[in-house]
């Protein structure tokens, strides 16, 4: 555990209304119901961008419907996150690689500054990367908005 605490890692809460991950580059200890992913084979900010997107929150909620808790909360663990469809990009997929670079850039900006505008841009890039249609986007956006607090939903809609 001490080695895990000292290493950079992605951390996420074991209970929340929407997937939300953060990057710990300094090596902090973890509390109760906080999980970590370390020794990653992908750019941590690419993974962070995907995990913080509406799309992966939606997919998590749908895939693990049995894990829903009262109040719209999700019970989350590392094993479940490992089952999410993380888009692996081949070196010849130039458009997808450009989108991945934008996701990394946005995730880095969001790491230091919380911004609804950047969040929306990140979601757009993730939708593009996964080839999500406009109709699917509307369904996902509506589903994620109704599962979070009413005040946060208003904030996202603005």
């Amino acid at each position: 555990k001490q080695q895990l605490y000292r290493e950079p890692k992605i951390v996420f809460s074991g209970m929340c209304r929407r997937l939300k991950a953060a990057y710990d580059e300094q090596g902090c200890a973890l509390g109760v119901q906080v999980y970590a992913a370390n020794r990653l084979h992908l750019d941590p900010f690419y993974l962070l961008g995907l995990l913080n997107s509406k799309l992966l929150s939606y997919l998590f909620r749908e895939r693990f419907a049995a894990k829903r808790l009262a109040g719209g909360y999700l019970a989350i663990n590392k094993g479940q996150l490992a089952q999410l469809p993380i888009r692996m990009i081949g070196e010849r997929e130039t458009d997808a690689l450009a989108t991945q670079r934008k996701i990394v850039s946005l995730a880095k900006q969001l790491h230091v500054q919380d911004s609804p505008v950047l969040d929306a841009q990140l979601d757009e890039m993730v939708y593009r990367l996964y080839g999500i249609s406009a109709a699917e986007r509307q369904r996902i956006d509506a589903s994620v908005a109704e599962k979070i607090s009413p005040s946060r939903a208003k904030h996202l809609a603005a």
Side-chain angles (χ1 to χ4, degrees), residues 133-154:
S133 72
E136 291 169 323
R137 290 174 192 200
Q138 287 180 333
R139 187 172 61 247
I140 292 165
D141 289 347
S143 175
V144 171
E146 75 182 33
K147 303 301 183 208
I148 60 177
S149 69
S151 62
R152 179 76 173 131
K154 272 195 229 179

Side-chain angles (χ1 to χ4, degrees), residues 15-87:
M15 186 171 60
C16 54
R17 288 191 171 120
R18 176 182 168 179
L19 290 181
K20 198 68 175 167
Y23 187 60
D24 168 26
E25 56 201 336
Q26 298 180 354
C28 296
L30 303 177
V32 176
Q33 290 294 316
V34 177
Y35 297 96
N38 64 336
R39 298 183 186 167
L40 306 168
H41 301 289
L42 296 170
D43 183 317
F45 286 99
Y46 172 60
L47 192 53
L48 194 64
L50 296 180
L51 289 172
N52 284 323
S53 72
K54 287 181 184 178
L55 176 61
L56 264 64
S57 279
Y58 173 81
L59 293 173
F60 186 93
R61 182 174 298 283
E62 294 301 310
R63 185 167 285 181
F64 301 106
K67 294 286 189 175
R68 290 184 193 165
L69 304 172
Y73 285 89
L74 303 169
I76 299 170
N77 66 44
K78 187 177 171 184
Q80 294 164 327
L81 291 176
Q83 295 178 49
L84 288 173
I86 301 301
R87 173 83 155 73

Side-chain angles (χ1 to χ4, degrees), residues 97-138:
L97 286 169
T99 302
Q100 180 184 35
R101 284 190 294 276
K102 289 177 186 173
I103 290 170
V104 167
S105 174
L106 289 164
K108 285 180 178 179
Q109 292 174 64
L110 285 163
H111 177 62
V112 295
Q113 169 192 354
D114 189 24
S115 164
V117 172
L118 294 176
D119 275 334
Q121 291 174 3
L122 176 68
D123 285 326
E124 176 60 32
M125 290 297 107
V126 174
Y127 286 151
R128 183 180 300 171
L129 184 68
Y130 281 79
I132 303 300
S133 72
E136 291 169 323
R137 290 174 192 200
Q138 287 180 333

